[in-house]
Amino acid sequence: MKTYELIAPCHFGLEAVLKKEIYELGYEITKVEDGRVTFEGDAEAICRANIFLRTAERILLKTGQFHAETFEELFQGIKKIPWEEYIPENGKFWVTKASSIKSKLFSPSDIQSIVKKAMVERMKQRYRKEWFEENGDSYPLRLFLMKDEVTVAIDTSGESLHKRGYRTLASKAPITETLAAALILLTPWRQDRILVDPFCGSGTFPIEAAMMAANIAPGMNRSFTAENWTTLIDKKLWYGAVEEAGDLVNTDISVDIQGYDIDGEIVKAARDNARRAGVDHLIHFQQRSVSQLNHPKKYGFLITNPPYGERLEEREALPRLYGEIGEALKRLDSWSAYVITSYEAAERDIGRKAEKNRKIYNGMLKTYFYQFLGPKPPKRNPVHQTASRRDIL
């Protein structure tokens, strides 16, 4: 089977998390850059990457790379790419996005126009016709220009992979599913430890955690643009990847995942989202403020996305709100807390300096992932573990 270079964009600062995911799927990484990871894979890899990767924004099929400082060089570079190997005669093709950083060519609209013309010229030569109806399946293109180096790829995903299909109503400042998954994977949380999100909003952190615990692949209940590319990807490969994902699901598990929010309507929406994700039985949602946060269990995890203060009236309430987070952490003195926020005074108002702090871009917004680390739980006695396993058997 033919091998391709596949590009997986992700949030800036979370490349290492995506890289680990790709390795665990069994594919070789060829390049890691700011905001994207490139790896090698065949047609089956396109299916599996779209269905299984939790932290990738989309999967792009790389078709070419070349240097271009003028529109003529861009035109000729695009024209040399064997588009007939990817796009059928009736395929619909266009540049859905062109980004340029530190390059002489910087106008997205001009880049898009030149690329389209060059592709049409190539297709004319290969298909020996002057006009293309483009009434077939879609082949949306994405271009990246970095220091005059042009990377060209076809988007296999369609809608961004953060759209798992379970979230219909979002809270005021939602965190995307891919970002939530990446942040959870940055922590040492495992399904045998309690996880609480006291600002759960539409439930993204608890739902993503529950999907991980139940081994539910994030893309198994949605569709992808490349499903219709039968000249490139056999339909059986998609069926096989979905079947593989289905075989791995185990919702008959015991976990302690909780989500709180002060807004009762949002809590109701979070429950509905969890139901659509198939994990509502694994999460306890409750209308509750962070000031009420307490728990008898030790060594738990608090993972949350509190308000940032986008509006003036909210900003004035932030010192008190983050102070309440600090008070909760004093009560939960054996817990670890992971807080993503753009609020610069978070550590000051929480009353504690984070052991670790990671800068992450949530879209264009610079945020900080503060990690307040609690003590490690005592190691379990391996003798007792063996005995209990033997008793079960």
Side-chain angles (χ1 to χ4, degrees):
M1 196 177 287
K2 186 175 179 180
T3 300
Y4 303 101
E5 268 198 295
L6 304 173
I7 303 170
C10 65
H11 284 274
F12 283 91
L14 295 171
E15 298 83 4
V17 182
L18 176 55
K19 180 180 174 182
K20 185 171 184 288
E21 271 203 287
I22 293 169
Y23 271 138
E24 288 175 351
L25 264 189
Y27 302 113
E28 284 297 315
I29 308 289
T30 58
K31 196 173 187 180
V32 179
E33 304 164 90
D34 286 345
R36 64 183 194 257
V37 179
T38 302
F39 63 102
E40 289 183 344
D42 54 16
E44 184 185 48
I46 295 173
C47 308
R48 295 183 73 237
N50 272 297
I51 289 169
F52 284 100
L53 291 179
R54 298 184 187 279
T55 63
E57 292 301 306
R58 57 186 69 249
I59 304 300
L60 307 175
L61 171 57
K62 183 177 173 181
T63 59
Q65 188 169 4
F66 55 89
H67 189 85
E69 297 182 25
T70 67
F71 284 121
E72 179 60 25
E73 288 174 338
L74 176 65
F75 184 92
Q76 294 302 331
I78 293 294
K79 192 177 174 184
K80 285 179 183 176
I81 296 172
W83 293 109
E84 66 280 359
E85 294 180 10
Y86 304 100
I87 304 173
E89 192 173 334
N90 68 338
K92 181 182 178 183
F93 56 95
W94 74 102
V95 179
T96 184
K97 185 175 182 181
S99 62
S100 177
I101 300 173
K102 297 178 181 177
S103 299
K104 293 181 178 64
L105 302 178
F106 57 85
S107 167
S109 59
D110 289 337
I111 291 168
Q112 290 168 313
S113 176
I114 293 292
V115 169
K116 177 75 175 186
K117 288 176 183 176
M119 290 179 71
V120 169
E121 284 304 308
R122 172 78 188 203
M123 303 279 270
K124 279 182 182 179
Q125 292 175 3
R126 291 302 182 267
Y127 289 116
R128 301 189 182 282
K129 59 188 300 185
E130 290 297 312
W131 177 258
F132 297 92
E133 291 188 30
E134 297 191 48
N135 58 0
D137 296 315
S138 296
Y139 294 80
L141 267 73
R142 289 185 173 244
L143 263 74
F144 310 96
L145 283 80
M146 170 62 81
K147 295 180 180 177
D148 302 316
E149 196 70 19
V150 184
T151 302
V152 193
I154 312 177
D155 181 8
T156 74
S157 304
E159 282 198 308
S160 172
L161 294 181
H162 81 264
K163 295 187 177 180
R164 321 284 206 215
Y166 65 73
R167 192 166 72 176
T168 58
L169 178 64
S171 53
K172 293 175 188 173
I175 192 166
T176 66
E177 294 85 335
T178 46
L179 179 55
L183 295 179
I184 294 169
L185 290 172
L186 273 178
T187 78
W189 176 78
R190 296 294 178 267
Q191 66 184 67
D192 61 340
R193 306 273 291 278
I194 181 174
L195 185 154
V196 175
D197 179 0
F199 300 94
C200 74
S202 51
T204 311
F205 272 128
I207 292 170
E208 289 295 318
M211 288 176 70
M212 289 178 194
N215 221 2
I216 298 174
M220 65 182 294
N221 293 314
R222 55 158 286 174
S223 59
F224 309 95
T225 296
E227 284 182 57
N228 297 318
W229 299 355
T230 51
T231 55
L232 282 178
I233 308 171
D234 193 311
K235 278 280 189 184
K236 291 178 183 177
L237 297 177
W238 289 104
Y239 298 144
V242 171
E243 186 177 348
E244 178 190 357
D247 289 343
L248 293 171
V249 173
N250 180 16
T251 56
D252 187 21
I253 56 174
S254 178
V255 291
D256 194 345
I257 299 172
Q258 302 181 21
Y260 307 143
D261 201 279
I262 201 167
D263 187 331
E265 286 301 308
I266 287 294
V267 170
K268 183 175 179 292
R271 287 196 189 103
D272 289 341
N273 290 340
R275 178 179 49 77
R276 276 185 291 274
V279 294
D280 51 318
H281 65 296
L282 301 177
I283 306 170
H284 172 69
F285 287 109
Q286 187 178 349
Q287 183 179 359
R288 192 175 182 183
S289 71
V290 68
S291 62
Q292 298 173 295
L293 180 57
N294 204 354
H295 207 283
K297 282 189 180 180
K298 288 184 172 294
Y299 310 110
F301 283 76
L302 186 150
I303 305 178
T304 193
N305 173 42
Y308 301 169
E310 290 85 357
R311 293 198 293 268
L312 181 61
E313 62 270 23
E314 291 176 346
R315 203 174 305 138
E316 291 170 350
L318 290 186
R320 178 185 56 79
L321 185 66
Y322 281 77
E324 289 175 351
I325 295 174
E327 290 301 315
L329 291 183
K330 287 178 185 176
R331 294 191 294 273
L332 303 168
D333 57 0
S334 69
W335 283 42
S336 295
Y338 299 83
V339 180
I340 182 170
T341 179
S342 65
Y343 181 46
E344 299 279 353
E347 288 175 301
R348 182 199 69 193
D349 292 339
I350 288 172
R352 177 177 165 186
K353 186 166 179 59
E355 279 74 19
K356 292 183 180 180
N357 179 12
R358 195 180 190 116
K359 188 193 298 180
I360 294 167
Y361 280 87
N362 184 4
M364 298 302 293
L365 182 66
K366 182 172 70 174
T367 63
Y368 300 93
F369 190 46
Y370 296 104
Q371 303 172 53
F372 303 94
L373 306 180
K376 290 183 179 179
K379 289 185 178 179
R380 295 174 182 172
N381 189 326
V383 175
H384 291 164
Q385 278 188 316
T386 305
S388 63
R389 194 179 297 117
R390 191 163 52 240
D391 290 342
I392 292 169
L393 294 172

